[in-house]
Amino acid sequence: MKDLSLLLVRGLTGTLMAGHGAQKLFGYGGGPGVEGTAGMMESLGLKPGKPWAVLAGASEFGGGALTALGFLNPLGPLGIIGAMNIATHRVHGTDPIWATEGGPELPVTNSAIAAAIALSGPGRYSLDQMFGIKLPRWIVVLALALGALAAYSALTAEPDASGGEEETAEGSGEEA
């Protein structure tokens, strides 16, 4: 039953994350595509926005696909965790936890699910099991280090204090 449960959780979470990434990368399902996502990234203070948009979309799309397939575990779940940690802190960080309040409830839940999959392994019904793949520890450590570096960079980037709008002397009430 454990392996069937892992398949269900991996399949659902991975597919939804891949779809979310496809919205960012390709405009799938009415998503913003790279250009729209780049604008959102810049509004969060992550500049230039286009590389951050591609990184976010690739982490979600690639991480979700690898997780759904149970392939190259734990790289897929680590991609999901990285993207969701940045979403938690950059997009939802100042709001209460609940999604109804604009909070990080969903990204935190996705991170917890991905962490559980990374720790337990993908299970018997996975491509890793089918092909006998077990990643060497150094690859996992390298992926963790790169993910931590990207997260640190995103979390410590200074947000645009103007909120993305330039104030003019006319709009500020001051005389020119």
Side-chain angles (χ1 to χ4, degrees), residues 1-169:
M1 284 302 195
K2 174 188 164 197
D3 293 309
L4 189 57
S5 297
L6 278 168
L7 175 63
L8 176 65
V9 171
R10 268 193 9 254
L12 179 63
T13 303
T15 301
L16 289 173
M17 287 305 307
H20 197 63
Q23 290 180 312
K24 286 180 173 64
L25 291 174
F26 315 119
Y28 171 76
V34 171
E35 294 304 321
T37 303
M40 184 213 34
M41 293 296 180
E42 291 206 2
S43 76
L44 296 172
L46 300 172
K47 296 179 182 179
K50 193 166 187 175
W52 285 107
V54 171
L55 180 63
S59 294
E60 292 174 0
F61 182 75
L66 290 174
T67 299
L69 296 169
F71 188 56
L72 301 177
N73 192 70
L75 297 184
L78 290 174
I80 292 172
I81 291 168
M84 292 299 97
N85 281 340
I86 292 171
T88 296
H89 296 288
R90 277 294 186 159
V91 179
H92 306 282
T94 59
D95 298 316
I97 188 70
W98 306 116
T100 54
E101 305 281 325
E105 177 184 3
L106 185 57
V108 168
T109 301
N110 286 334
S111 290
I113 292 167
I117 294 167
L119 291 170
S120 68
R124 182 182 332 168
Y125 308 119
S126 66
L127 291 181
D128 281 358
Q129 180 70 27
M130 181 186 296
F131 296 123
I133 296 172
K134 182 157 175 67
L135 292 182
R137 185 169 301 280
W138 70 268
I139 291 176
V140 174
V141 170
L142 178 62
L144 278 170
L146 291 174
L149 180 63
Y152 175 79
S153 178
L155 296 174
T156 59
E158 289 296 320
D160 184 4
S162 70
E165 298 176 21
E166 292 191 26
E167 189 172 358
T168 63

